[in-house]
Amino acid sequence: MNYRKFGNTGAMISALGFGCMRFPEYEKDGKWYINDDEAIPMLLKAYEDGVNYFDTAPYYCHHNSEITVGKALKEIRDKVMVSTKIPVDKCKEAGDYRRFLEKSLKKLDMEYIDFYHFWGLSKEEYDKSVLGLNLLEEARKAKEEGLIKHISFSFHDKAEYIKYIIDTAESRGVPMETMLVQYNLLDRSNEEMIQYAASKGLGVVAMGPVGGGRLAAPTDLYAKLTGKPSISTYELAFKFVLGNPYLSCALSGMGTMDMVEKNVVIGSSKEGLTQEEWAQLGESAENLKKFSELYCTGCAYCQPCPAGIDIPKIFNLYTYHNVYGLTDYAKNEMKNYKNNDGKTIEHCKDCGLCEDRCPQSLKIRDELKRVEDILIKQ
Ligand code: SF4
Ligand code: SF4
């Protein structure tokens, strides 16, 4: 495994981080469970192969992810770094910080959290809750008491607000120490701010290195972009993220042992992209912008839709068509989806909930119509 300096935290972090939101699950009597017999060996295998950063959150895997992470890592607690998050939007008063923190500590069954994130910040939420309820002060106290080691944030808003968050927290004497942001070959909107964060001593972790699965498509993007013999698009997507010197770690949501093994190989590879290759790719990727006209990250915040429409799935299929030219595949998958009673735009109740929740501010209803026209009607 490759390791990198994690900002000014003093930690060396593995280039591959384990995103703990895709564990295998099953439902029984209307309740969801993680299959620990599969998930725990995956976590331990990743650790044995050098992964030392595990990122979970209270709501991942139907609220069960923290429990499984805690069980898996208990015996090796001091050898790994655990990250989890506070749902800032649910905080109504300053004391909620401690309440959520204690809940996470209990579920993890741990005495401390290494990186405690203000979760999915927008500027509005940051102003209203983090500053408005003085949660930074709560974070400072929790750190002093040793309940958390570092103060962190994850982010879903316009890139320019990253600077605002870093600067205001610093000016209040409670600097942010690490940041978790979306970054990949198709979405470089945070790139400048990643550099800014690094210049302020923050460690930076990238989420979505394979672009919500889009860059995992089995096509030869590298050859398409560079005209050179290929490496897999999946590997390329990771290498692109890790080729950014201001980033420390690429987080991957891993749900199978195969995926762990595949990702560990990439995180351990000594053959990164050269600076020229990285720059060339970046330049070529600019040409992909046109493919990003519908930029759905697959985050699923728009779910559940009251009409049962699987919006991220449908948008992902559109990307197969639009970005990779896999039109037959996309159309076929769309047909399967519908044949299996998958709901689409004709079932939409026009409630607008999805659009209120979408961090990318997509005009989801219009886009669904457009996708349907292309993948079903044409
Ligand atoms: S507007 Fe339509 S697609 Fe969006 S949440 Fe409501 S029913 Fe679902
Ligand atoms: S439509 Fe928006 S909220 Fe839904 S998965 Fe895509 S980016 Fe996320």
Side-chain angles (χ1 to χ4, degrees):
M1 180 58 57
N2 295 316
Y3 295 90
R4 294 178 172 193
K5 189 170 171 273
F6 197 21
N8 291 342
T9 64
M12 292 298 284
I13 186 173
S14 49
L16 172 68
F18 202 129
C20 302
M21 73 291 277
R22 301 229 163 88
F23 292 141
E25 294 177 276
Y26 62 95
E27 192 188 357
K28 199 175 159 202
D29 301 328
K31 210 175 156 213
W32 283 90
Y33 300 86
I34 290 173
N35 184 341
D36 280 347
D37 291 343
E38 286 182 31
I40 292 176
M42 279 161 45
L43 287 158
L44 292 176
K45 167 76 175 147
Y47 164 71
E48 279 157 22
D49 287 345
V51 172
N52 67 3
Y53 187 85
F54 296 82
D55 177 86
T56 178
Y59 306 154
Y60 288 173
C61 302
H62 299 89
H63 299 247
N64 293 321
S65 172
E66 287 180 324
I67 299 168
T68 293
V69 170
K71 280 189 226 165
L73 304 182
K74 198 158 180 53
E75 300 299 318
I76 45 169
R77 177 65 189 97
D78 57 340
K79 298 187 173 63
V80 294
M81 296 181 278
V82 174
S83 144
T84 189
K85 313 184 183 87
I86 176 165
V88 174
D89 59 327
K90 300 277 184 304
C91 291
K92 303 291 172 238
E93 55 187 28
D96 286 343
Y97 186 93
R98 185 58 67 104
R99 194 167 60 78
F100 280 115
L101 173 56
E102 284 175 356
K103 218 167 161 183
S104 282
L105 286 168
K106 193 162 171 223
K107 282 168 79 184
L108 285 160
D109 193 18
M110 291 177 177
E111 286 174 3
Y112 64 90
I113 289 159
D114 297 275
F115 297 91
Y116 196 45
H117 290 74
F118 291 107
W119 192 0
L121 287 184
S122 62
K123 179 178 184 297
E124 192 187 339
E125 209 57 71
Y126 178 73
D127 284 343
K128 190 174 98 194
S129 305
V130 180
L131 297 184
L133 301 174
N134 209 4
L135 298 185
L136 284 171
E137 185 52 25
E138 296 301 311
R140 193 188 58 73
K141 279 192 238 158
K143 189 176 167 185
E144 259 175 28
E145 288 173 49
L147 298 177
I148 65 173
K149 299 281 184 204
H150 301 283
I151 301 169
S152 307
F153 71 101
S154 66
F155 181 80
H156 283 289
D157 203 346
K158 287 194 190 125
E160 68 216 54
Y161 298 135
I162 290 177
K163 183 174 189 306
Y164 171 75
I165 291 173
I166 293 173
D167 290 353
T168 48
E170 186 182 32
S171 72
R172 296 193 178 206
V174 191
M176 297 289 183
E177 298 172 84
T178 74
M179 154 172 114
L180 172 61
V181 286
Q182 193 76 34
Y183 180 66
N184 60 59
L185 190 53
L186 295 188
D187 178 8
R188 300 172 67 192
S189 55
N190 290 324
E191 194 162 278
E192 201 183 319
M193 286 295 120
I194 287 171
Q195 187 171 355
Y196 180 74
S199 78
K200 302 294 280 187
L202 277 81
V204 182
V205 176
M207 54 181 156
V210 292
R214 293 173 307 157
L215 289 167
T219 52
D220 201 351
L221 187 63
Y222 185 68
K224 194 163 147 187
L225 289 174
T226 63
K228 290 182 185 171
S230 66
I231 58 176
S232 82
T233 299
Y234 187 84
E235 189 178 342
L236 169 75
F238 260 100
K239 288 193 170 175
F240 179 79
V241 169
L242 292 171
N244 183 326
Y246 302 106
L247 270 165
S248 301
C249 171
L251 203 60
S252 174
M254 294 183 263
T256 62
M257 190 61 99
D258 265 7
M259 213 170 164
V260 173
E261 285 167 358
K262 185 171 161 189
N263 286 353
V264 159
V265 170
I266 299 171
S268 308
S269 168
K270 299 295 167 213
E271 290 165 22
L273 300 172
T274 64
Q275 277 302 304
E276 285 104 64
E277 281 170 330
W278 189 82
Q280 186 191 351
L281 260 181
E283 203 180 299
S284 307
E286 282 302 304
N287 299 330
L288 287 177
K289 279 274 160 68
K290 63 179 165 156
F291 302 130
S292 305
E293 72 203 83
L294 169 54
Y295 184 64
C296 166
T297 62
C299 69
Y301 288 166
C302 53
Q303 302 286 282
C305 152
I309 303 174
D310 190 340
I311 299 164
K313 182 184 175 78
I314 294 172
F315 287 177
N316 194 37
L317 290 178
Y318 180 70
T319 306
Y320 279 116
H321 152 72
N322 188 42
V323 175
Y324 301 110
L326 295 171
T327 306
D328 289 347
Y329 172 83
K331 285 187 167 181
N332 208 25
E333 285 295 297
M334 192 72 181
K335 204 193 276 169
N336 288 342
Y337 171 73
K338 286 197 81 166
N339 287 348
N340 288 320
D341 214 20
K343 305 283 189 291
T344 165
I345 189 69
E346 74 262 23
H347 298 93
C348 176
K349 298 172 192 296
D350 214 21
C351 66
L353 270 178
C354 54
E355 293 178 20
D356 293 343
R357 295 181 193 142
C358 177
Q360 306 297 328
S361 305
L362 295 177
K363 291 194 173 25
I364 292 174
R365 286 166 287 185
D366 291 349
E367 294 294 352
L368 282 172
K369 269 188 213 125
R370 195 165 64 86
V371 173
E372 172 133 319
D373 280 347
I374 293 168
L375 292 187
I376 296 177
K377 297 188 178 150
Q378 274 180 26

